[in-house]
Amino acid sequence: MKCPCCEKLIRPAQVTERENRGLNVHFRCPHCGARLAVNGRATRAKLMGFVLLLSGSGVMLWGPQASWVFGLMVCIAGGVLAFSARRKELKLQWLDKPDGSDKN
C-alpha cells in the first residue's frame, strides 16, 4: 500500500496501531503519522467476488452437464469483481494530515 500523504510504501507488518470498525480499518502511517483508512466496501466486494468464483466453479464441477456455461459466466464475473475490488482496496483513504488538521 502507498500512503497518499508521504507517497512511501507501507507494509502491513509496519502498522502497529489499527482500529477495526467492521470491515473498515483505520490506522496511522508509520512514516508520517497521517490517519488512513482501508475501503470497507471494496473489501466486501472482493469477498463477494471470491464467493462467486468458488460457487461458479462448484457449478461447473458438480452441476448438471448443461450448466457449465452458467458456471463459467459466474466464475468470470466473480474474478473480475474480485480483481477490480482488490485494486480499489489498495488505494488508501486519507482521513487527516499528520498535524491533525483536516485534509480540505
Side-chain angles (χ1 to χ4, degrees), residues 39-104:
N39 191 346
R41 292 178 122 185
T43 305
R44 286 183 197 99
K46 181 182 72 169
L47 291 173
M48 287 187 338
F50 283 127
V51 167
L52 283 173
L53 189 64
L54 289 175
S55 62
S57 54
V59 166
M60 284 174 44
L61 289 174
W62 295 295
Q65 185 69 21
S67 66
W68 71 270
V69 174
F70 175 72
L72 181 65
M73 290 172 34
V74 170
C75 279
I76 291 172
V80 168
L81 180 63
F83 180 74
S84 62
R86 177 67 179 154
R87 291 192 56 181
K88 176 101 173 138
E89 186 184 36
L90 286 177
K91 293 183 182 178
L92 298 174
Q93 296 173 351
W94 189 6
L95 298 177
D96 62 359
K97 288 185 179 180
D99 60 0
S101 62
D102 286 338
K103 184 172 84 171
N104 294 332

Side-chain angles (χ1 to χ4, degrees), residues 3 10-12 15 19 26-27 30 38 42 49 55-56 61 70 72 93 97:
C3 177
I10 302 172
R11 294 188 185 111
V15 177
E19 181 180 331
H26 296 196
F27 61 95
V38 175
S55 62
L61 289 174
F70 175 72
L72 181 65
Q93 296 173 351
K97 288 185 179 180

